[in-house]
Amino acid sequence: MKEKRLLKVLGEIDEKYVEEAAPAVKKTGGEKSKVVYIRWGVTAACLCLLCVSVIAVSGRFRNQLPPDSGWNDIPGAEQTAVPDMGQTVTADSNQMIDGDYAESGDQVTDSGQAADSNQAAGEQEIFVAVSSLFADGSGGIINEALFIAMVPINGQYTGVYEKVQAVETAVLSESRGRSISGTEEWYYVSGHTDMQYLIRNDNEEYSLWKFSCFDSGEYPYSDVLELIYRIDSADVISEIRINPPKMDNTNGGMAIQEKIGTHTIANREQINTIYEILSSMTCYGSGHWDMIDYGSTDAPADAELPLHQAVWLGRYLSVVTDYGNEIDGLKYTAVSDMFYEFSGIAYNRLTEEQAAKVWEIIGITDEREDRRGML
């Protein structure tokens, strides 16, 4: 019976029943007083019961309130720490992690994921900017002697990775995050969940590797966006930088590059349009230069600018995410209305509607018809 109802019922008991239940006493002038004492004694006992219930309930929920709620200021109350965002704590035996129960003592982050074994107990991952891991002046350039490695991706694909010029091995060792599932030598960069760059441990020699493509004949580019770059919507993209192509370094080619210039797309509607087009594309993997037509760069150094067709009709894109990564491999050519990447990574041709939107956003609309007629 609830406490309030119990008190109400007690208050409505006829005094004669209390008197009947009381021990026999002599009928003196103090008889009425004894009955009153007994009644109020029972009431006081119920009040004590109510207080104990309230304290028990409040203690049960106190730990679910933030530290500044006032509960922890109660004198004598047990102080329970509330983890900060990102803090790693030790799991109780009944704590759930991703739908499964954690073993007692496992390290669990605030997101509910088990912490990696190479982290010290209670230590949280610090965010390491990938750009800080590039060798001085390299800008993340692939090593001149091309090294290729294969990495399992989420049980669905095998990722092709290329070795990047990076800082010394000791710095890379300290910059490791969680290990990649299903591997013993591959790690995320600390603080990252994307797989654009990974750190490899080869007999205590650490190196930095960059994603190239999936080792698969054909696949949706949306899988690359989600599994590798962790881009599942346009909201994750902060901006897109548009640069002139660098394939022609003659005097004429560089003059065109300067005229085209660089610009940044920050308009949310335009970013969303580019994202929707990219996520709809099919990738055919590497080694498909025969599918890529970006025009001719051949022209005398003193020729007029219009002869450098590939430069006029091409653009290089860098997609920048909210977490600071820069996806800089995509290139576009209006010669064949398609995206492509180095190593002959080819994508399907865009529809006329898609191509028209891309031309306008990346700034080659005014040049398209004039330049195409020279091919």
Side-chain angles (χ1 to χ4, degrees), residues 270-291:
Q270 292 180 331
I271 289 176
N272 188 66
T273 297
I274 294 294
Y275 167 76
E276 288 181 349
I277 292 173
L278 294 179
S279 60
S280 71
M281 297 190 315
T282 298
C283 182
Y284 300 108
S286 62
H288 292 290
W289 286 113
D290 58 315
M291 300 175 62

Side-chain angles (χ1 to χ4, degrees), residues 47-306:
L47 285 173
C48 290
L49 175 62
L50 175 61
C51 291
V52 170
S53 299
V54 170
I55 292 172
V57 172
S58 66
R60 179 179 177 182
F61 293 103
R62 182 191 307 124
N63 293 342
Q64 300 182 17
L65 298 173
D68 57 356
S69 63
W71 280 99
N72 291 329
D73 296 330
I74 300 175
E78 180 183 357
Q79 299 297 312
T80 302
V82 178
D84 294 330
M85 292 300 292
Q87 181 177 342
T88 303
V89 296
T90 302
D92 295 326
S93 59
N94 63 342
Q95 186 168 350
M96 297 283 288
I97 301 178
D98 293 336
D100 199 1
Y101 284 102
E103 296 292 333
S104 181
D106 279 353
Q107 297 300 311
V108 183
T109 63
D110 66 286
S111 63
Q113 295 179 324
D116 182 51
S117 59
N118 69 301
Q119 288 179 249
E123 180 184 352
Q124 59 182 346
E125 279 192 11
I126 60 172
F127 182 86
V128 174
V130 171
S131 58
S132 69
L133 302 180
F134 299 150
D136 291 342
S138 74
I141 296 175
I142 306 299
N143 287 3
E144 291 183 4
L146 189 60
F147 293 93
I148 301 294
M150 303 294 183
V151 181
I153 306 294
N154 201 38
Q156 295 178 250
Y157 296 101
T158 297
V160 179
Y161 280 78
E162 300 172 336
K163 192 174 183 179
V164 174
Q165 295 181 28
V167 295
E168 57 269 21
T169 184
V171 175
L172 292 175
S173 174
E174 293 296 325
S175 301
R176 285 178 300 154
R178 296 175 293 116
S179 59
I180 302 298
S181 177
T183 74
E184 297 180 354
E185 57 183 324
W186 293 97
Y187 298 85
Y188 292 95
V189 176
S190 180
H192 288 253
T193 59
D194 67 279
M195 301 180 71
Q196 182 183 10
Y197 290 91
L198 301 179
I199 295 175
R200 183 182 189 183
N201 175 12
D202 185 10
N203 294 322
E204 300 305 314
E205 288 293 326
Y206 295 89
S207 50
L208 185 65
W209 298 72
K210 182 180 181 180
F211 175 79
S212 175
C213 62
F214 288 147
D215 184 24
S216 177
E218 183 177 321
Y219 51 87
Y221 189 61
S222 58
D223 284 355
V224 176
L225 292 174
E226 294 179 17
L227 298 176
I228 302 299
Y229 302 129
R230 293 295 187 258
I231 298 177
D232 56 5
S233 75
D235 295 335
V236 182
I237 301 173
S238 59
E239 63 184 28
I240 301 175
R241 299 169 188 162
I242 309 299
N243 303 288
K246 307 285 187 180
M247 80 254 305
D248 182 0
N249 291 320
T250 64
N251 291 336
M254 289 189 290
I256 297 174
Q257 294 170 24
E258 185 177 354
K259 184 174 181 179
I260 292 173
T262 62
H263 69 279
T264 299
I265 300 171
N267 179 279
R268 298 312 308 176
E269 184 177 350
Q270 292 180 331
I271 289 176
N272 188 66
T273 297
I274 294 294
Y275 167 76
E276 288 181 349
I277 292 173
L278 294 179
S279 60
S280 71
M281 297 190 315
T282 298
C283 182
Y284 300 108
S286 62
H288 292 290
W289 286 113
D290 58 315
M291 300 175 62
I292 304 169
D293 180 9
Y294 55 80
S296 172
T297 60
D298 296 334
D302 59 349
E304 293 183 4
L305 300 185

